Amino acid sequence: MFNEITHQYSEHKNKELAWLINDYEITYENNLINNREQLEKYNWLDRQFTYKFNSHGFRSEEFTDDDSIMFFGCSNTVGIGLPLEDTWAYQVAKKLDLKCFNLAIGATGPDTAFRLANHYVPQIKPKIVVYAEPHPSRFSLFGIDEVYQFTTHNIISSKHGKTKKFESFYQHWILNDENIKLNSIKHRLAIQAICQQYNIKFVFAESYAELPYDLDFARDLMHPGVESNKIFAELILSRINQSN
């Protein structure tokens, strides 16, 4: 029904996975040995769940024409280390009685969010778009000899990223705050403009700054946990209500 686009999770289309990047089985096993008290504290001992992906490769409900809310972001929005029902995006959608179309992808930045929004928002036309901004120091660069090369953070092809040419570029780019500020502003405004074109409510948040990171932890003991996601869900809901 809806045209697809290739992205970092495309290989997971129609799959249900027991583990996902950062929330590795080996990490959990190591934490059972070295950080068992934390796993027990946050109720992760012997608690199992899966990551289920739709036909477009997202941890999301299957896309339909039903009234929906669409989310863009990184691992904080995917809900790495959390059962689906404990993710803040799921809680927001359930509270609003809207289909939850979560197009977030872990370890990606504003470029990926815009690329996906530009492709899917005009097709699906959700009622609301929530852009939970990843850290704006991340950006995308496609290698000239690799049709679809996706990595993380600086998001440079692993081959080219090791050359002095690209190392020098990224060092200059990331060490000047103006580059990071501009990267944030231009992608937020671009996604907002897409929403305005289709009369879609747009809500913005800085997931890396506004989602609590020291309250509790997900199963990987890296990402924000259940209580943190509840707090962030309430924050997003309040912003949605304020924009009415």
Side-chain angles (χ1 to χ4, degrees):
M1 179 184 294
F2 302 106
N3 294 330
E4 297 181 24
I5 188 172
T6 303
H7 54 81
Q8 293 89 327
Y9 282 175
S10 289
E11 63 182 337
H12 300 324
K13 287 191 295 186
N14 295 314
K15 292 182 180 179
E16 188 168 359
L17 307 178
W19 307 93
L20 192 61
I21 187 168
N22 286 330
D23 183 32
Y24 298 109
E25 184 175 13
I26 190 170
T27 302
Y28 181 74
E29 291 173 349
N30 287 336
N31 282 328
L32 281 174
I33 299 171
N34 301 312
N35 297 296
R36 189 179 183 90
E37 289 184 0
Q38 277 196 297
L39 288 176
E40 185 174 9
K41 178 181 179 181
Y42 300 123
N43 195 33
W44 296 120
L45 288 179
D46 301 320
R47 187 178 179 189
Q48 298 181 347
F49 59 88
T50 61
Y51 298 93
K52 188 174 182 180
F53 294 82
N54 70 9
S55 62
H56 287 252
F58 299 102
R59 193 188 189 192
S60 169
E61 293 187 68
E62 195 60 52
F63 298 155
T64 66
D65 289 323
D66 296 323
D67 289 347
S68 64
I69 180 170
M70 187 173 286
F71 302 91
F72 297 96
C74 58
S75 55
N76 292 330
T77 305
V78 174
I80 298 296
L82 294 173
L84 181 64
E85 62 271 16
D86 288 324
T87 63
W88 66 265
Y90 176 91
Q91 294 173 50
V92 169
K94 185 175 182 180
K95 185 73 173 181
L96 298 174
D97 195 25
L98 295 170
K99 290 285 186 178
C100 182
F101 297 161
N102 191 337
L103 281 70
I105 297 179
T108 61
D111 288 312
T112 296
F114 167 74
R115 182 171 178 265
L116 295 173
N118 189 50
H119 182 82
Y120 282 105
V121 170
Q123 292 190 73
I124 298 175
K125 298 183 180 65
K127 296 293 184 182
I128 305 169
V129 163
V130 178
Y131 174 36
E133 183 186 46
H135 199 283
S137 64
R138 300 173 175 178
F139 71 98
S140 300
L141 178 65
F142 292 86
I144 59 174
D145 60 348
E146 300 169 31
V147 179
Y148 290 111
Q149 176 64 49
F150 301 105
T151 56
T152 63
H153 298 288
N154 51 320
I155 317 188
I156 292 176
S157 102
S158 57
K159 182 187 297 182
H160 292 161
K162 294 177 181 178
T163 67
K164 291 183 178 179
K165 178 180 179 181
F166 284 101
E167 286 178 352
S168 175
F169 168 78
Y170 189 62
Q171 286 172 358
H172 282 281
W173 191 91
I174 198 170
L175 291 176
N176 190 321
D177 287 343
E178 289 303 312
N179 292 320
I180 297 174
K181 291 177 183 176
L182 180 61
N183 200 40
S184 172
I185 293 169
K186 69 181 181 181
H187 287 95
R188 173 173 56 83
L189 292 178
I191 296 173
Q192 185 176 12
I194 295 170
C195 294
Q196 289 174 340
Q197 183 178 355
Y198 295 96
N199 197 28
I200 295 168
K201 183 180 294 185
F202 174 78
V203 175
F204 174 78
E206 297 173 329
S207 72
Y208 61 92
E210 297 184 272
L211 206 165
Y213 263 87
D214 56 359
L215 177 61
D216 65 340
F217 292 99
R219 184 174 64 179
D220 62 349
L221 299 184
M222 293 174 56
H223 288 87
V226 174
E227 292 303 316
S228 300
N229 274 255
K230 287 181 181 178
I231 292 172
F232 195 67
E234 291 300 321
L235 173 66
I236 297 301
L237 285 166
S238 68
R239 290 188 182 170
I240 291 172
N241 291 331
Q242 288 169 8
S243 63
N244 285 336

